[in-house]
Amino acid sequence: MAMAKSLILGEFRRALDERYRVSIPSEMAELLTADGDECVLAKERAGALSLWNTVQWQEKFDRSVHLVQEKMLAGRLDGRVEDVQVLGRLLSTRQTNVKLAGRSRLVLPEGFREFLGVEPGGEVLVVGAALCVELWRPDCWFSYVEEQMPGFRRLFDNLSS
């Protein structure tokens, strides 16, 4: 996957409105829609969704699916039918194309709403994850940060040296 030209960073609190819309900060939305008005919304982990630039997502997705298909054709996955079926099921439900409406508002599609687990009027954290924008249910976000923060310095030093 080609790396984004600019890292997408920041943390913003937003409310999910009665129509399941959340406002994406304009500086983040501009990076997501640099190649067109559509983005890819993906289920990442319980309580979190990610929003990707469509071109960047599609390049990686197409390469990965092509590799799996090549392995299937070569018979290298013959003993892993269950794994291939699980992959197919998850691929079928994991992502969808979405458009950001006026004022960079994203309408969360059904299925993605339930996965995020935030009701209208509830809080959503919009987080820059360098390559994409993530939407987090606050309790899941705080647990994730608490788990990951002790390794931050080592990770930063490894990636920046």
Side-chain angles (χ1 to χ4, degrees):
M1 176 193 303
M3 292 294 235
K5 293 177 181 132
S6 298
L7 294 182
I8 303 173
L9 301 174
E11 178 182 320
F12 303 87
R13 292 179 183 272
R14 296 289 190 260
L16 191 63
D17 76 9
E18 70 284 346
R19 293 194 206 152
Y20 292 95
R21 295 179 301 187
V22 63
S23 178
I24 306 299
S26 60
E27 60 272 18
M28 292 177 162
E30 288 171 13
L31 294 169
L32 292 172
T33 58
D35 298 310
D37 59 353
E38 280 197 351
C39 301
V40 173
L41 185 65
K43 297 172 184 173
E44 290 294 339
R45 57 184 50 87
L49 301 171
S50 61
L51 197 54
W52 291 83
N53 173 287
T54 302
V55 171
Q56 290 175 2
W57 174 273
Q58 201 63 51
E59 287 172 359
K60 181 180 182 352
F61 182 81
D62 289 346
R63 272 194 314 273
S64 298
V65 168
H66 181 72
L67 287 173
V68 171
Q69 289 172 324
E70 283 182 346
K71 287 181 179 184
M72 287 174 62
L73 289 171
R76 293 176 26 214
L77 298 179
D78 287 351
R80 300 180 66 191
V81 172
E82 272 189 51
D83 288 341
V84 173
Q85 287 178 307
V86 169
L87 178 66
R89 288 182 201 116
L90 294 175
L91 284 175
S92 294
T93 187
R94 180 169 190 250
Q95 69 191 53
T96 189
N97 288 348
V98 294
K99 286 187 179 183
L100 296 183
R103 296 192 300 251
S104 302
R105 285 185 301 199
L106 170 68
V107 177
L108 295 180
E110 196 172 343
F112 291 80
R113 298 172 190 166
E114 292 83 0
F115 192 82
L116 184 59
V118 176
E119 293 298 320
E123 189 175 71
V124 175
L125 291 172
V126 180
V127 178
L131 305 175
C132 67
V133 171
E134 294 179 336
L135 307 175
W136 286 82
R137 192 175 69 220
D139 62 318
C140 294
W141 172 244
F142 297 130
S143 293
Y144 178 81
V145 169
E146 186 176 36
E147 177 186 313
Q148 297 297 321
M149 195 55 79
F152 171 77
R153 174 57 58 198
R154 186 180 69 252
L155 176 65
F156 185 76
D157 289 346
N158 286 338
L159 290 176
S160 64
S161 62

